[in-house]
């Protein structure tokens, strides 16, 4: 059972990102503030849920969250500053957009660039431990999957609707045969 909060009586925002290991598209992060007593029957790390389950959970989180935001950092910016900094930037941008100011950030992972004037706690595999981080993982994944599906309509040869830009054998083969497009991360090892 995932925990509802890390610190009692503090407005916490869970943060997570998706798309760090992709060869194409933006990195996407979400920030979610849930009620302190929030529970959900299936909410967990987005990678452990089917697409249908993620869509159901997304609808529930969008309805139930006190505040939420999704932000992206482009593949060009990833190439310019590197994927780790871009991931932290996406998380900061998501926090910037929250309609309710958090008092503490719960960050999935083992490191984070501190957000100005807000304490944070990094939690390895936090999306399997805290509901707010799991909710952020679901919102970020659903948003990015939808985006990559849309981009895939323009570039069907890469099959982004199936692989979301991750380095599958088919994706790499398509890059080898026709080359990269404007959505590819040129600083990554594409082949």
């Amino acid at each position: 059972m995932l925990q509802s909060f890390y610190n009692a009586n503090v407005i916490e925002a869970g943060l997570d990102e998706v798309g760090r290991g992709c060869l194409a598209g933006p990195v996407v992060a979400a920030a979610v503030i849930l009620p302190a007593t929030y529970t959900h029957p299936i909410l967990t790390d987005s990678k452990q849920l089917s697409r249908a389950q993620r869509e159901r959970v997304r609808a529930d989180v969008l309805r139930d969250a006190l505040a939420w935001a999704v932000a992206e950092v482009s593949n060009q910016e990833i190439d310019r500053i590197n994927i780790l900094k871009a991931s932290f930037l996406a998380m900061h941008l998501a926090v910037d957009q929250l309609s309710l100011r958090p008092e503490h950030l719960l960050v999935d992972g083992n490191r984070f660039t501190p957000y100005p004037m807000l304490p944070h706690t990094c939690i390895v595999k936090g999306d399997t431990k805290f509901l707010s981080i799991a909710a952020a993982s679901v919102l970020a994944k659903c948003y990015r999957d939808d985006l990559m599906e849309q981009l895939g309509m323009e570039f069907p040869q890469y099959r982004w609707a199936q692989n979301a830009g991750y380095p599958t054998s088919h994706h790499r083969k398509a890059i080898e045969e026709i080359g990269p497009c404007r959505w590819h991360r040129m600083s990554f090892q594409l082949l």
Side-chain angles (χ1 to χ4, degrees):
M1 183 75 145
L2 275 65
Q3 297 176 57
S4 298
F5 57 84
Y6 183 82
N7 294 305
N9 304 314
V10 171
I11 300 171
E12 292 179 333
L15 303 179
D16 201 3
E17 56 69 33
V18 67
R20 272 178 62 172
C22 295
L23 302 179
V27 63
V28 173
V32 177
I33 299 173
L34 295 172
T37 57
Y38 192 73
T39 60
H40 195 281
I42 65 168
L43 176 55
T44 189
D45 170 19
S46 63
K47 296 180 291 297
Q48 296 180 17
L49 299 172
S50 69
R51 185 169 189 148
Q53 288 174 319
R54 283 192 301 269
E55 292 298 335
R56 175 185 156 204
V57 169
R58 172 168 60 173
D60 292 345
V61 168
L62 295 179
R63 180 194 66 222
D64 299 338
L66 300 176
W68 63 271
V70 176
E72 62 181 84
V73 172
S74 72
N75 55 299
Q76 292 91 353
E77 187 71 0
I78 291 167
D79 287 339
R80 194 177 74 74
I81 66 174
N82 83 40
I83 187 60
L84 184 62
K85 289 178 183 172
S87 297
F88 296 156
L89 175 58
M91 290 183 192
H92 282 224
L93 293 171
V95 172
D96 289 345
Q97 295 175 47
L98 288 171
S99 60
L100 177 63
R101 175 128 173 114
E103 299 168 325
H104 188 259
L105 304 176
L106 294 182
V107 183
D108 185 54
N110 62 358
R111 53 185 162 161
F112 182 62
T113 300
Y115 188 92
M117 308 298 289
L118 272 181
H120 72 272
T121 302
C122 292
I123 300 167
V124 175
K125 299 190 184 212
D127 49 7
T128 64
K129 298 174 182 172
F130 290 93
L131 288 165
S132 62
I133 300 175
S137 84
V138 168
L139 294 191
K141 177 141 181 62
C142 288
Y143 178 96
R144 192 175 189 286
D145 285 354
D146 290 348
L147 177 64
M148 292 308 293
E149 199 170 309
Q150 290 173 348
L151 296 178
M153 289 183 213
E154 185 180 355
F155 298 96
Q157 60 273 33
Y158 301 116
R159 291 192 190 162
W160 289 338
Q162 288 78 37
N163 63 46
Y166 283 93
T168 63
S169 57
H170 182 275
H171 189 183
R172 287 197 193 271
K173 188 172 193 301
I175 294 169
E176 185 177 4
E177 290 175 359
I178 61 173
C181 74
R182 71 178 184 271
W183 296 105
H184 280 99
R185 300 172 183 177
M186 303 311 291
S187 60
F188 279 44
Q189 187 173 348
L190 298 178
L191 297 175

